[in-house]
Amino acid sequence: MSALPHLAALTQPIIFVDTETGGRDPARHPLLTVGLVTLTPQGEVTRPLHLRVRHEHYEVEEEAMAVNGIDLATHHATAQAPEEVAEAVRAYARAVGRVMLGGHNLAYDLGFLRWLLPDLQSIFRRGRVDTKLTAQFLLHAGILPRKVGTPLDQLAKYFGLAYQAHDALEDARVTAWVYAELLRLTAR
């Protein structure tokens, strides 16, 4: 997708993140992949980064693995140690500055990211952007049609964005585009 017109209300970049995991419980299930992109005030989605996290043991739910499509043997062979992934995320954020973190249903991702990055609060600003919550507000305000709903795939379809779900980098990229489109929708 080409860059959107300048997003007047956005005065600094936002880093969007998504994760793929081996289940729903951050205390039991592993964080497998982290996808990061940066949304610029010019409306560009830049700096894609996809990281794989290696674990000594993978306690996973069959349903989660069916959804994310990750083959654990291939994953393990190409993944990095958690410390290396954590440092890569820190370096990614440092290159932009201390900015806000965004995502779709971000609370879920944060549960797993806090395990990887106990210093998360010092890496990103305190404020957060959640496209699921933003879309819910816009539905209630009558700005977004109720038929759209809040799932990322429905929002992507509404805005005409190509999307293949359940890859951390692809999900982060589409989430950033959806946020930009939501900003444009409210600016009209």
Side-chain angles (χ1 to χ4, degrees):
M1 180 173 207
S2 62
L4 299 170
H6 187 274
L7 303 172
L10 192 59
T11 59
Q12 62 180 255
I14 298 173
I15 294 174
F16 282 85
V17 66
D18 188 74
T19 62
E20 294 301 329
T21 66
R24 289 176 242 142
D25 183 355
R28 286 190 11 218
H29 302 119
L31 169 62
L32 298 173
T33 64
V34 178
L36 299 157
V37 297
T38 301
L39 175 64
T40 70
Q42 293 74 35
E44 297 173 317
V45 176
T46 64
R47 304 178 61 238
L49 180 63
H50 194 227
L51 302 162
R52 293 167 181 80
V53 185
R54 184 176 58 237
H55 301 272
E56 294 309 312
H57 172 73
Y58 296 91
E59 183 179 335
V60 298
E61 292 178 340
E62 204 172 301
E63 180 184 325
M65 300 311 290
V67 167
N68 67 38
I70 294 172
D71 174 76
L72 284 177
T74 303
H75 172 85
H76 189 78
T78 60
Q80 298 174 287
E83 301 79 27
E84 292 174 48
V85 173
E87 188 47 44
V89 172
R90 289 182 190 107
Y92 184 95
R94 272 194 305 271
V96 177
R98 195 160 178 258
V99 298
M100 289 192 340
L101 186 63
H104 189 82
N105 194 21
L106 187 58
Y108 177 86
D109 299 300
L110 289 174
F112 287 89
L113 288 173
R114 286 186 183 107
W115 164 82
L116 182 69
L117 297 160
D119 56 341
L120 188 74
Q121 287 299 105
S122 66
I123 299 169
F124 298 99
R125 290 178 66 176
R126 193 165 275 180
R128 302 278 188 256
V129 169
D130 189 321
T131 54
K132 184 175 181 75
L133 296 176
T134 303
Q136 188 66 59
F137 172 79
L138 294 175
L139 285 166
H140 291 167
I143 296 171
L144 197 59
R146 285 203 175 274
K147 66 180 180 188
V148 175
T150 62
L152 186 57
D153 62 334
Q154 290 179 22
L155 291 165
K157 183 178 177 182
Y158 176 75
F159 290 117
L161 304 170
Y163 176 51
Q164 294 289 353
H166 304 299
D167 170 272
L169 182 56
E170 174 70 358
D171 289 356
R173 182 186 69 79
V174 169
T175 300
W177 280 120
V178 163
Y179 188 68
E181 290 290 350
L182 291 171
L183 287 174
R184 290 180 66 212
L185 183 66
T186 59
R188 292 183 193 137

